[in-house]
Amino acid sequence: MNERYSRQVLFPGIGKEGQAKISSKHVLIIGAGALGSGSAEVLTRAGVGKLTIVDRDYVEASNLQRQQLYTEEDVAEKLPKAAAAEKRLKAINSDVKIISIIGDATPELLEDLVVGVDVMLDATDNFETRMAMNDVSQKYKIPWIYGACVGSYGMSFSMIPGKTPCLNCLLRTIPLQGMTCDTGGIISPTVQMVIAHQTAEALKMLVEDWESVRTSFVSFDLWRNQYTSMKMSKAKFPGCLSCGDERTYPFLDHENMTKTTVLCGRDTVQIRPSIKGELSLDRLAGQLNSLGYTVKGNPYLLSVEMGKERMVIFQDGRALIHGTKDLTHAKSIYQRILG
């Protein structure tokens, strides 16, 4: 057994047999930001056989506070996160096969990528992608590990098709956070805590110790010294369209994705969210004001100045991004602010 993994092999939960299993497995990580880069490093150092990372963004200065794989040089070169992550991970462990994909994790791409994947890790920044991951997980029977964090608050849940509730079930039970790091900020210890939860669960799955996989929903607030673990067995919903008796995998349907449209004759993109719901405009205005944005509004909408661009947000989650015709750029702005 490689001396590199000797301390890991000494751990009874893994041992030589478990290490051999880890080295033969394939993990897919969606997102190479704070959670993705940290989890990728942990699993690369642990000796996973193959690691595929998908991310559409590039490295910016604001990432360096918490995204541990990146450097000031990456910022200066505006390197795509996936490419920068691949370069660093290969330097950490040349035994691991690293595949980086620079692009959007669409349902079509996810369905192509999951062939031969043993575990998926959620490190994305928006619920549209998470819901697509959830449906891919259920359709192809691949376990995945949800994770999210903002401010000092984090959460994680391991989903095993056929055994645990899926994310679509959980949304009926748990009011998940709507803030993002761009609106609520983030401290690095919160990121590290979620990474610890996600990668520990991933290692359990990779060594096939299914009895040890945590089936409770974990949430915590490091600043307020709060930690909660909730049993989720009763959250499984027989009528769920993602994992229920008559599943249709609705979030793999192109019709249910976020709609982006360039308005005729204008430098404006309209965005309609894939998940319906009403926003608290007052709360959102307060968050954005505290971050230095110029915000004006009325009971029906908010207008947010964003440099050369302006975002108008309606109560139903619909938004107009003025100052651009680039659909990808507009969608990125939308998800950065609204998650």
Side-chain angles (χ1 to χ4, degrees):
M1 184 61 66
N2 194 327
E3 177 66 18
R4 175 194 290 266
Y5 310 116
S6 61
R7 302 304 185 270
Q8 190 163 279
V9 168
L10 284 172
F11 174 64
I14 294 180
K16 290 184 178 180
E17 183 179 344
Q19 186 62 48
K21 289 180 180 179
I22 291 171
S23 299
S24 69
K25 299 295 177 66
H26 181 188
V27 177
L28 172 62
I29 300 179
I30 303 301
L35 294 180
S37 62
S39 293
E41 181 172 343
V42 169
L43 293 173
T44 296
R45 292 185 184 278
V48 68
K50 183 177 178 181
L51 187 65
T52 300
I53 307 169
V54 182
D55 193 278
R56 65 188 177 190
D57 209 350
Y58 61 90
V59 184
E60 298 179 277
S62 63
N63 302 148
L64 299 181
Q65 166 250 356
R66 66 198 180 281
Q67 298 184 18
Q68 64 193 57
L69 285 181
Y70 310 126
T71 66
E72 292 178 351
E73 184 179 349
D74 298 328
V75 174
E77 295 179 7
K78 286 186 166 48
L79 278 183
K81 290 182 181 179
E86 178 183 359
K87 179 181 177 181
R88 179 74 185 280
L89 293 170
K90 284 182 174 178
I92 289 171
N93 191 345
S94 59
D95 292 340
V96 178
K97 183 176 183 180
I98 307 292
I99 298 174
S100 64
I101 297 174
I102 303 166
D104 225 356
T106 62
E108 293 84 359
L109 179 62
L110 287 172
E111 290 201 77
D112 287 341
L113 291 179
V114 294
V115 178
V117 165
D118 297 287
V119 179
M120 294 191 295
L121 264 67
D122 163 34
T124 187
D125 60 359
N126 67 89
F127 261 91
E128 178 175 285
T129 305
R130 286 187 175 110
M131 299 308 287
M133 287 182 70
N134 184 69
D135 276 8
V136 164
S137 164
Q138 298 301 321
K139 184 175 180 179
Y140 295 97
K141 296 180 172 55
I142 300 170
W144 75 292
I145 306 163
Y146 165 75
C149 51
V150 64
S152 58
Y153 182 76
M155 60 185 90
S156 181
F157 183 65
S158 300
M159 281 165 268
I160 305 172
K163 182 177 179 181
T164 68
C166 76
L167 185 60
N168 205 6
C169 294
L170 293 189
L171 289 176
R172 297 168 53 87
T173 307
I174 299 174
L176 301 179
Q177 281 279 356
M179 290 190 296
T180 71
C181 295
D182 285 82
T183 57
I186 183 74
I187 57 172
S188 185
T190 309
V191 175
Q192 297 301 320
M193 186 81 157
V194 176
I195 289 170
H197 278 291
Q198 287 189 289
T199 53
E201 295 307 301
L203 289 173
K204 295 174 191 177
M205 293 178 182
L206 294 175
V207 302
E208 301 171 18
D209 185 1
W210 299 104
E211 293 301 314
S212 295
V213 173
R214 175 177 37 79
T215 55
S216 59
F217 185 96
V218 166
S219 64
F220 60 85
D221 191 322
L222 292 179
W223 208 261
R224 295 177 175 82
N225 305 309
Q226 297 170 350
Y227 190 94
T228 303
S229 179
M230 294 183 289
K231 292 183 178 180
M232 288 285 108
S233 56
K234 293 183 179 179
K236 192 166 178 60
F237 176 53
C240 176
L241 296 179
S242 296
C243 73
D245 299 332
E246 298 183 8
R247 59 191 73 179
T248 60
Y249 311 115
F251 297 98
L252 298 182
D253 187 343
H254 184 75
E255 288 300 311
N256 291 327
M257 295 176 64
T258 296
K259 307 297 190 302
T260 54
T261 307
V262 177
L263 298 189
C264 183
R266 299 166 62 186
D267 286 339
T268 300
V269 176
Q270 175 178 263
I271 299 182
R272 291 184 180 275
S274 59
I275 300 174
K276 296 179 181 179
E278 288 199 358
L279 298 174
S280 171
L281 296 181
D282 287 341
R283 187 178 72 171
L284 182 59
Q287 292 168 356
L288 296 174
N289 272 317
S290 69
L291 292 168
Y293 290 105
T294 301
V295 182
K296 299 178 181 178
N298 57 43
Y300 310 102
L301 58 83
L302 294 180
S303 177
V304 186
E305 298 293 335
M306 313 178 74
K308 296 179 181 179
E309 294 145 345
R310 182 168 61 92
M311 182 176 183
V312 176
I313 307 167
F314 298 86
Q315 197 170 29
D316 63 358
R318 184 172 59 88
L320 300 176
I321 315 295
H322 298 284
T324 184
K325 290 183 179 179
D326 186 328
L327 298 180
T328 301
H329 177 60
K331 190 174 178 181
S332 177
I333 291 173
Y334 181 89
Q335 291 176 337
R336 190 171 74 237
I337 298 299
L338 294 176

